[in-house]
Structures are given as C-alpha cells and as structure tokens.
PDB file of all heavy atoms in Angstrom:
ATOM      1  N   VAL N   1      -2.026 -17.161  11.278  1.00  0.00           N
ATOM      2  CA  VAL N   1      -1.385 -16.503  10.244  1.00  0.00           C
ATOM      3  C   VAL N   1      -2.394 -15.811   9.353  1.00  0.00           C
ATOM      4  O   VAL N   1      -2.175 -14.737   8.732  1.00  0.00           O
ATOM      5  CB  VAL N   1      -0.476 -17.407   9.442  1.00  0.00           C
ATOM      6  CG1 VAL N   1      -1.194 -18.539   8.628  1.00  0.00           C
ATOM      7  CG2 VAL N   1       0.453 -16.697   8.383  1.00  0.00           C
ATOM      8  N   VAL N   2      -3.575 -16.472   9.128  1.00  0.00           N
ATOM      9  CA  VAL N   2      -4.625 -15.783   8.301  1.00  0.00           C
ATOM     10  C   VAL N   2      -5.224 -14.518   9.020  1.00  0.00           C
ATOM     11  O   VAL N   2      -5.309 -13.509   8.425  1.00  0.00           O
ATOM     12  CB  VAL N   2      -5.808 -16.821   8.119  1.00  0.00           C
ATOM     13  CG1 VAL N   2      -6.890 -16.188   7.207  1.00  0.00           C
ATOM     14  CG2 VAL N   2      -5.205 -18.064   7.421  1.00  0.00           C
ATOM     15  N   ALA N   3      -5.484 -14.592  10.341  1.00  0.00           N
ATOM     16  CA  ALA N   3      -5.974 -13.478  11.015  1.00  0.00           C
ATOM     17  C   ALA N   3      -4.968 -12.340  11.035  1.00  0.00           C
ATOM     18  O   ALA N   3      -5.219 -11.140  10.784  1.00  0.00           O
ATOM     19  CB  ALA N   3      -6.344 -13.734  12.456  1.00  0.00           C
ATOM     20  N   HIS N   4      -3.680 -12.730  11.229  1.00  0.00           N
ATOM     21  CA  HIS N   4      -2.533 -11.776  11.227  1.00  0.00           C
ATOM     22  C   HIS N   4      -2.507 -11.050   9.893  1.00  0.00           C
ATOM     23  O   HIS N   4      -2.366  -9.822   9.779  1.00  0.00           O
ATOM     24  CB  HIS N   4      -1.225 -12.493  11.515  1.00  0.00           C
ATOM     25  CG  HIS N   4       0.034 -11.702  11.205  1.00  0.00           C
ATOM     26  ND1 HIS N   4       0.481 -11.517   9.882  1.00  0.00           N
ATOM     27  CD2 HIS N   4       0.783 -10.929  11.988  1.00  0.00           C
ATOM     28  CE1 HIS N   4       1.525 -10.707   9.900  1.00  0.00           C
ATOM     29  NE2 HIS N   4       1.749 -10.335  11.165  1.00  0.00           N
ATOM     30  N   ASP N   5      -2.559 -11.832   8.791  1.00  0.00           N
ATOM     31  CA  ASP N   5      -2.472 -11.249   7.412  1.00  0.00           C
ATOM     32  C   ASP N   5      -3.611 -10.362   7.093  1.00  0.00           C
ATOM     33  O   ASP N   5      -3.437  -9.402   6.319  1.00  0.00           O
ATOM     34  CB  ASP N   5      -2.168 -12.344   6.420  1.00  0.00           C
ATOM     35  CG  ASP N   5      -0.816 -12.751   6.372  1.00  0.00           C
ATOM     36  OD1 ASP N   5       0.008 -12.559   7.302  1.00  0.00           O
ATOM     37  OD2 ASP N   5      -0.349 -13.466   5.406  1.00  0.00           O
ATOM     38  N   LEU N   6      -4.799 -10.671   7.523  1.00  0.00           N
ATOM     39  CA  LEU N   6      -5.922  -9.826   7.286  1.00  0.00           C
ATOM     40  C   LEU N   6      -5.627  -8.351   7.797  1.00  0.00           C
ATOM     41  O   LEU N   6      -5.868  -7.391   7.135  1.00  0.00           O
ATOM     42  CB  LEU N   6      -7.215 -10.371   7.920  1.00  0.00           C
ATOM     43  CG  LEU N   6      -8.253 -11.079   7.127  1.00  0.00           C
ATOM     44  CD1 LEU N   6      -9.302 -11.659   7.969  1.00  0.00           C
ATOM     45  CD2 LEU N   6      -8.773 -10.157   6.024  1.00  0.00           C
ATOM     46  N   VAL N   7      -5.111  -8.351   9.035  1.00  0.00           N
ATOM     47  CA  VAL N   7      -4.800  -7.022   9.628  1.00  0.00           C
ATOM     48  C   VAL N   7      -3.601  -6.383   9.075  1.00  0.00           C
ATOM     49  O   VAL N   7      -3.591  -5.188   8.812  1.00  0.00           O
ATOM     50  CB  VAL N   7      -4.727  -7.182  11.167  1.00  0.00           C
ATOM     51  CG1 VAL N   7      -4.331  -5.908  11.810  1.00  0.00           C
ATOM     52  CG2 VAL N   7      -6.030  -7.718  11.740  1.00  0.00           C
ATOM     53  N   SER N   8      -2.607  -7.199   8.805  1.00  0.00           N
ATOM     54  CA  SER N   8      -1.376  -6.713   8.270  1.00  0.00           C
ATOM     55  C   SER N   8      -1.585  -6.080   6.828  1.00  0.00           C
ATOM     56  O   SER N   8      -1.054  -5.000   6.454  1.00  0.00           O
ATOM     57  CB  SER N   8      -0.274  -7.729   8.182  1.00  0.00           C
ATOM     58  OG  SER N   8       1.012  -7.160   7.893  1.00  0.00           O
ATOM     59  N   LEU N   9      -2.396  -6.743   6.071  1.00  0.00           N
ATOM     60  CA  LEU N   9      -2.733  -6.215   4.775  1.00  0.00           C
ATOM     61  C   LEU N   9      -3.565  -4.968   4.789  1.00  0.00           C
ATOM     62  O   LEU N   9      -3.359  -4.006   4.062  1.00  0.00           O
ATOM     63  CB  LEU N   9      -3.493  -7.320   3.897  1.00  0.00           C
ATOM     64  CG  LEU N   9      -3.798  -6.936   2.429  1.00  0.00           C
ATOM     65  CD1 LEU N   9      -2.573  -6.401   1.672  1.00  0.00           C
ATOM     66  CD2 LEU N   9      -4.514  -8.103   1.784  1.00  0.00           C
ATOM     67  N   ALA N  10      -4.510  -4.950   5.697  1.00  0.00           N
ATOM     68  CA  ALA N  10      -5.223  -3.699   5.926  1.00  0.00           C
ATOM     69  C   ALA N  10      -4.346  -2.564   6.252  1.00  0.00           C
ATOM     70  O   ALA N  10      -4.575  -1.368   5.814  1.00  0.00           O
ATOM     71  CB  ALA N  10      -6.363  -3.961   6.961  1.00  0.00           C
ATOM     72  N   TRP N  11      -3.332  -2.879   7.104  1.00  0.00           N
ATOM     73  CA  TRP N  11      -2.451  -1.834   7.504  1.00  0.00           C
ATOM     74  C   TRP N  11      -1.506  -1.386   6.385  1.00  0.00           C
ATOM     75  O   TRP N  11      -1.232  -0.234   6.222  1.00  0.00           O
ATOM     76  CB  TRP N  11      -1.580  -2.368   8.761  1.00  0.00           C
ATOM     77  CG  TRP N  11      -0.612  -1.343   9.299  1.00  0.00           C
ATOM     78  CD1 TRP N  11       0.724  -1.622   9.542  1.00  0.00           C
ATOM     79  CD2 TRP N  11      -0.858  -0.077   9.860  1.00  0.00           C
ATOM     80  NE1 TRP N  11       1.282  -0.546  10.194  1.00  0.00           N
ATOM     81  CE2 TRP N  11       0.335   0.373  10.374  1.00  0.00           C
ATOM     82  CE3 TRP N  11      -2.027   0.597  10.011  1.00  0.00           C
ATOM     83  CZ2 TRP N  11       0.329   1.689  10.991  1.00  0.00           C
ATOM     84  CZ3 TRP N  11      -2.024   1.942  10.542  1.00  0.00           C
ATOM     85  CH2 TRP N  11      -0.807   2.388  11.097  1.00  0.00           C
ATOM     86  N   LEU N  12      -1.136  -2.302   5.549  1.00  0.00           N
ATOM     87  CA  LEU N  12      -0.372  -1.988   4.342  1.00  0.00           C
ATOM     88  C   LEU N  12      -1.242  -1.032   3.426  1.00  0.00           C
ATOM     89  O   LEU N  12      -0.654  -0.027   2.883  1.00  0.00           O
ATOM     90  CB  LEU N  12       0.062  -3.289   3.547  1.00  0.00           C
ATOM     91  CG  LEU N  12       0.618  -2.967   2.166  1.00  0.00           C
ATOM     92  CD1 LEU N  12       1.911  -2.254   2.128  1.00  0.00           C
ATOM     93  CD2 LEU N  12       0.862  -4.421   1.514  1.00  0.00           C
ATOM     94  N   LEU N  13      -2.403  -1.423   3.213  1.00  0.00           N
ATOM     95  CA  LEU N  13      -3.299  -0.639   2.337  1.00  0.00           C
ATOM     96  C   LEU N  13      -3.519   0.819   2.981  1.00  0.00           C
ATOM     97  O   LEU N  13      -3.592   1.830   2.273  1.00  0.00           O
ATOM     98  CB  LEU N  13      -4.572  -1.272   2.068  1.00  0.00           C
ATOM     99  CG  LEU N  13      -4.436  -2.636   1.263  1.00  0.00           C
ATOM    100  CD1 LEU N  13      -5.808  -3.257   1.093  1.00  0.00           C
ATOM    101  CD2 LEU N  13      -3.782  -2.401  -0.019  1.00  0.00           C
ATOM    102  N   GLU N  14      -3.673   0.869   4.263  1.00  0.00           N
ATOM    103  CA  GLU N  14      -3.799   2.200   4.927  1.00  0.00           C
ATOM    104  C   GLU N  14      -2.552   3.030   4.679  1.00  0.00           C
ATOM    105  O   GLU N  14      -2.687   4.220   4.461  1.00  0.00           O
ATOM    106  CB  GLU N  14      -4.088   1.965   6.384  1.00  0.00           C
ATOM    107  CG  GLU N  14      -4.236   3.214   7.260  1.00  0.00           C
ATOM    108  CD  GLU N  14      -5.479   3.929   6.982  1.00  0.00           C
ATOM    109  OE1 GLU N  14      -6.426   3.318   6.418  1.00  0.00           O
ATOM    110  OE2 GLU N  14      -5.565   5.102   7.289  1.00  0.00           O
ATOM    111  N   ASN N  15      -1.502   2.425   4.812  1.00  0.00           N
ATOM    112  CA  ASN N  15      -0.260   3.247   4.606  1.00  0.00           C
ATOM    113  C   ASN N  15       0.038   3.568   3.192  1.00  0.00           C
ATOM    114  O   ASN N  15       0.623   4.569   2.854  1.00  0.00           O
ATOM    115  CB  ASN N  15       0.969   2.450   5.179  1.00  0.00           C
ATOM    116  CG  ASN N  15       1.086   2.622   6.711  1.00  0.00           C
ATOM    117  OD1 ASN N  15       1.774   3.519   7.180  1.00  0.00           O
ATOM    118  ND2 ASN N  15       0.406   1.709   7.480  1.00  0.00           N
ATOM    119  N   ARG N  16      -0.436   2.753   2.263  1.00  0.00           N
ATOM    120  CA  ARG N  16      -0.421   3.153   0.848  1.00  0.00           C
ATOM    121  C   ARG N  16      -1.168   4.301   0.587  1.00  0.00           C
ATOM    122  O   ARG N  16      -0.844   5.165  -0.227  1.00  0.00           O
ATOM    123  CB  ARG N  16      -0.951   1.900  -0.096  1.00  0.00           C
ATOM    124  CG  ARG N  16       0.149   0.906  -0.436  1.00  0.00           C
ATOM    125  CD  ARG N  16      -0.303  -0.009  -1.406  1.00  0.00           C
ATOM    126  NE  ARG N  16      -0.684   0.463  -2.602  1.00  0.00           N
ATOM    127  CZ  ARG N  16       0.081   0.838  -3.577  1.00  0.00           C
ATOM    128  NH1 ARG N  16       1.459   0.803  -3.518  1.00  0.00           N
ATOM    129  NH2 ARG N  16      -0.356   1.244  -4.741  1.00  0.00           N
ATOM    130  N   ARG N  17      -2.376   4.445   1.233  1.00  0.00           N
ATOM    131  CA  ARG N  17      -3.200   5.646   1.109  1.00  0.00           C
ATOM    132  C   ARG N  17      -2.463   6.933   1.667  1.00  0.00           C
ATOM    133  O   ARG N  17      -2.721   7.975   1.207  1.00  0.00           O
ATOM    134  CB  ARG N  17      -4.518   5.435   1.792  1.00  0.00           C
ATOM    135  CG  ARG N  17      -5.502   4.473   1.065  1.00  0.00           C
ATOM    136  CD  ARG N  17      -6.902   4.469   1.686  1.00  0.00           C
ATOM    137  NE  ARG N  17      -7.007   3.777   3.011  1.00  0.00           N
ATOM    138  CZ  ARG N  17      -7.267   2.555   3.092  1.00  0.00           C
ATOM    139  NH1 ARG N  17      -7.500   1.764   1.996  1.00  0.00           N
ATOM    140  NH2 ARG N  17      -7.439   1.959   4.246  1.00  0.00           N
ATOM    141  N   MET N  18      -1.634   6.720   2.647  1.00  0.00           N
ATOM    142  CA  MET N  18      -0.913   7.814   3.252  1.00  0.00           C
ATOM    143  C   MET N  18       0.347   8.125   2.474  1.00  0.00           C
ATOM    144  O   MET N  18       0.980   9.167   2.678  1.00  0.00           O
ATOM    145  CB  MET N  18      -0.505   7.449   4.716  1.00  0.00           C
ATOM    146  CG  MET N  18      -1.634   7.416   5.646  1.00  0.00           C
ATOM    147  SD  MET N  18      -1.075   7.239   7.342  1.00  0.00           S
ATOM    148  CE  MET N  18      -0.832   5.361   7.513  1.00  0.00           C
ATOM    149  N   THR N  19       0.785   7.269   1.613  1.00  0.00           N
ATOM    150  CA  THR N  19       1.972   7.542   0.811  1.00  0.00           C
ATOM    151  C   THR N  19       1.776   8.663  -0.170  1.00  0.00           C
ATOM    152  O   THR N  19       0.780   8.651  -0.957  1.00  0.00           O
ATOM    153  CB  THR N  19       2.344   6.225  -0.075  1.00  0.00           C
ATOM    154  OG1 THR N  19       2.611   5.197   0.888  1.00  0.00           O
ATOM    155  CG2 THR N  19       3.607   6.470  -0.821  1.00  0.00           C
ATOM    156  N   PRO N  20       2.694   9.640  -0.247  1.00  0.00           N
ATOM    157  CA  PRO N  20       2.580  10.731  -1.171  1.00  0.00           C
ATOM    158  C   PRO N  20       2.432  10.311  -2.626  1.00  0.00           C
ATOM    159  O   PRO N  20       3.067   9.305  -3.064  1.00  0.00           O
ATOM    160  CB  PRO N  20       3.876  11.514  -1.003  1.00  0.00           C
ATOM    161  CG  PRO N  20       4.359  11.145   0.412  1.00  0.00           C
ATOM    162  CD  PRO N  20       3.933   9.769   0.605  1.00  0.00           C
ATOM    163  N   GLU N  21       1.563  10.859  -3.385  1.00  0.00           N
ATOM    164  CA  GLU N  21       1.251  10.505  -4.751  1.00  0.00           C
ATOM    165  C   GLU N  21       2.494  10.470  -5.569  1.00  0.00           C
ATOM    166  O   GLU N  21       2.765   9.675  -6.422  1.00  0.00           O
ATOM    167  CB  GLU N  21       0.208  11.356  -5.347  1.00  0.00           C
ATOM    168  CG  GLU N  21      -1.267  11.161  -4.841  1.00  0.00           C
ATOM    169  CD  GLU N  21      -1.684   9.669  -5.146  1.00  0.00           C
ATOM    170  OE1 GLU N  21      -1.340   9.198  -6.168  1.00  0.00           O
ATOM    171  OE2 GLU N  21      -2.261   9.152  -4.188  1.00  0.00           O
ATOM    172  N   ASP N  22       3.440  11.509  -5.425  1.00  0.00           N
ATOM    173  CA  ASP N  22       4.595  11.546  -6.191  1.00  0.00           C
ATOM    174  C   ASP N  22       5.621  10.441  -5.820  1.00  0.00           C
ATOM    175  O   ASP N  22       6.549  10.232  -6.632  1.00  0.00           O
ATOM    176  CB  ASP N  22       5.287  12.913  -6.017  1.00  0.00           C
ATOM    177  CG  ASP N  22       5.879  13.128  -4.725  1.00  0.00           C
ATOM    178  OD1 ASP N  22       5.283  12.584  -3.681  1.00  0.00           O
ATOM    179  OD2 ASP N  22       6.810  14.005  -4.513  1.00  0.00           O
ATOM    180  N   LYS N  23       5.414   9.725  -4.750  1.00  0.00           N
ATOM    181  CA  LYS N  23       6.267   8.640  -4.507  1.00  0.00           C
ATOM    182  C   LYS N  23       5.688   7.312  -5.094  1.00  0.00           C
ATOM    183  O   LYS N  23       6.400   6.336  -5.214  1.00  0.00           O
ATOM    184  CB  LYS N  23       6.408   8.447  -2.944  1.00  0.00           C
ATOM    185  CG  LYS N  23       6.971   9.598  -2.239  1.00  0.00           C
ATOM    186  CD  LYS N  23       8.318   9.978  -2.700  1.00  0.00           C
ATOM    187  CE  LYS N  23       8.943  11.140  -2.003  1.00  0.00           C
ATOM    188  NZ  LYS N  23      10.239  11.542  -2.448  1.00  0.00           N
ATOM    189  N   LYS N  24       4.476   7.280  -5.527  1.00  0.00           N
ATOM    190  CA  LYS N  24       3.896   6.170  -6.098  1.00  0.00           C
ATOM    191  C   LYS N  24       4.170   6.027  -7.556  1.00  0.00           C
ATOM    192  O   LYS N  24       4.091   4.924  -8.090  1.00  0.00           O
ATOM    193  CB  LYS N  24       2.322   6.156  -5.920  1.00  0.00           C
ATOM    194  CG  LYS N  24       1.896   6.018  -4.462  1.00  0.00           C
ATOM    195  CD  LYS N  24       0.366   6.125  -4.389  1.00  0.00           C
ATOM    196  CE  LYS N  24      -0.125   6.083  -2.928  1.00  0.00           C
ATOM    197  NZ  LYS N  24      -1.615   6.149  -2.842  1.00  0.00           N
ATOM    198  N   ASP N  25       4.328   7.165  -8.266  1.00  0.00           N
ATOM    199  CA  ASP N  25       4.544   7.138  -9.645  1.00  0.00           C
ATOM    200  C   ASP N  25       5.919   6.813 -10.105  1.00  0.00           C
ATOM    201  O   ASP N  25       6.893   7.317  -9.538  1.00  0.00           O
ATOM    202  CB  ASP N  25       4.099   8.499 -10.264  1.00  0.00           C
ATOM    203  CG  ASP N  25       2.577   8.775  -9.926  1.00  0.00           C
ATOM    204  OD1 ASP N  25       1.809   7.810  -9.809  1.00  0.00           O
ATOM    205  OD2 ASP N  25       2.134   9.878 -10.021  1.00  0.00           O
ATOM    206  N   GLY N  26       6.052   5.986 -11.239  1.00  0.00           N
ATOM    207  CA  GLY N  26       7.250   5.825 -11.877  1.00  0.00           C
ATOM    208  C   GLY N  26       6.990   5.834 -13.357  1.00  0.00           C
ATOM    209  O   GLY N  26       6.165   6.537 -13.853  1.00  0.00           O
ATOM    210  N   ILE N  27       7.795   5.007 -14.056  1.00  0.00           N
ATOM    211  CA  ILE N  27       7.564   4.938 -15.525  1.00  0.00           C
ATOM    212  C   ILE N  27       6.131   4.309 -15.750  1.00  0.00           C
ATOM    213  O   ILE N  27       5.480   4.598 -16.723  1.00  0.00           O
ATOM    214  CB  ILE N  27       8.616   4.106 -16.248  1.00  0.00           C
ATOM    215  CG1 ILE N  27       8.502   4.110 -17.735  1.00  0.00           C
ATOM    216  CG2 ILE N  27       8.647   2.647 -15.669  1.00  0.00           C
ATOM    217  CD1 ILE N  27       9.671   3.539 -18.455  1.00  0.00           C
ATOM    218  N   LEU N  28       5.671   3.485 -14.766  1.00  0.00           N
ATOM    219  CA  LEU N  28       4.316   2.997 -14.755  1.00  0.00           C
ATOM    220  C   LEU N  28       3.593   3.574 -13.484  1.00  0.00           C
ATOM    221  O   LEU N  28       4.269   3.697 -12.518  1.00  0.00           O
ATOM    222  CB  LEU N  28       4.305   1.423 -14.660  1.00  0.00           C
ATOM    223  CG  LEU N  28       5.029   0.767 -15.863  1.00  0.00           C
ATOM    224  CD1 LEU N  28       5.163  -0.684 -15.561  1.00  0.00           C
ATOM    225  CD2 LEU N  28       4.212   0.964 -17.158  1.00  0.00           C
ATOM    226  N   GLU N  29       2.318   3.777 -13.608  1.00  0.00           N
ATOM    227  CA  GLU N  29       1.653   4.365 -12.410  1.00  0.00           C
ATOM    228  C   GLU N  29       1.790   3.345 -11.222  1.00  0.00           C
ATOM    229  O   GLU N  29       1.988   3.745 -10.152  1.00  0.00           O
ATOM    230  CB  GLU N  29       0.258   4.547 -12.804  1.00  0.00           C
ATOM    231  CG  GLU N  29      -0.559   5.160 -11.642  1.00  0.00           C
ATOM    232  CD  GLU N  29      -2.047   5.428 -12.049  1.00  0.00           C
ATOM    233  OE1 GLU N  29      -2.302   5.272 -13.256  1.00  0.00           O
ATOM    234  OE2 GLU N  29      -2.816   5.787 -11.139  1.00  0.00           O
ATOM    235  N   ASP N  30       1.647   2.073 -11.572  1.00  0.00           N
ATOM    236  CA  ASP N  30       1.803   1.031 -10.551  1.00  0.00           C
ATOM    237  C   ASP N  30       2.350  -0.171 -11.199  1.00  0.00           C
ATOM    238  O   ASP N  30       1.573  -1.007 -11.751  1.00  0.00           O
ATOM    239  CB  ASP N  30       0.500   0.826  -9.768  1.00  0.00           C
ATOM    240  CG  ASP N  30       0.695  -0.187  -8.624  1.00  0.00           C
ATOM    241  OD1 ASP N  30       1.745  -0.677  -8.456  1.00  0.00           O
ATOM    242  OD2 ASP N  30      -0.312  -0.398  -7.966  1.00  0.00           O
ATOM    243  N   PRO N  31       3.667  -0.403 -11.180  1.00  0.00           N
ATOM    244  CA  PRO N  31       4.284  -1.537 -11.863  1.00  0.00           C
ATOM    245  C   PRO N  31       3.693  -2.855 -11.322  1.00  0.00           C
ATOM    246  O   PRO N  31       3.683  -3.881 -12.091  1.00  0.00           O
ATOM    247  CB  PRO N  31       5.772  -1.343 -11.539  1.00  0.00           C
ATOM    248  CG  PRO N  31       5.923  -0.506 -10.367  1.00  0.00           C
ATOM    249  CD  PRO N  31       4.700   0.361 -10.501  1.00  0.00           C
ATOM    250  N   ASN N  32       3.275  -2.915 -10.116  1.00  0.00           N
ATOM    251  CA  ASN N  32       2.699  -4.142  -9.580  1.00  0.00           C
ATOM    252  C   ASN N  32       1.474  -4.555 -10.203  1.00  0.00           C
ATOM    253  O   ASN N  32       0.972  -5.673 -10.038  1.00  0.00           O
ATOM    254  CB  ASN N  32       2.495  -4.011  -8.067  1.00  0.00           C
ATOM    255  CG  ASN N  32       3.749  -3.571  -7.258  1.00  0.00           C
ATOM    256  OD1 ASN N  32       4.207  -2.471  -7.446  1.00  0.00           O
ATOM    257  ND2 ASN N  32       4.169  -4.433  -6.394  1.00  0.00           N
TER     258      ASN N  32
END
C-alpha cells in the first residue's frame, strides 16, 4: 500500500499540474 500510494500520489500531483488554472480557483485559491 505504501508503494502504491507513492505512485498514486505522484499521479495525482501530475494531474493537478494538468488541471486548468480556472478550475483550481474558487473563493479561496486552494481551500485544502
């Protein structure tokens, strides 16, 4: 599960970089 999550998290971050900027913004730049 640790090896899986290392890669899955890297893939999540890669896809966050691909996400259009106007889709990331809300009332807060990043509520998380």
Side-chain angles (χ1 to χ4, degrees):
V1 66
V2 179
H4 168 279
D5 277 18
L6 258 175
V7 176
S8 189
L9 180 54
W11 185 233
L12 170 61
L13 296 176
E14 178 70 17
N15 278 271
R16 274 185 61 77
R17 289 190 285 268
M18 291 187 277
T19 299
E21 288 300 319
D22 65 334
K23 301 300 183 182
K24 295 180 182 178
D25 297 336
I27 187 170
L28 300 171
E29 182 178 352
D30 186 354
N32 303 65

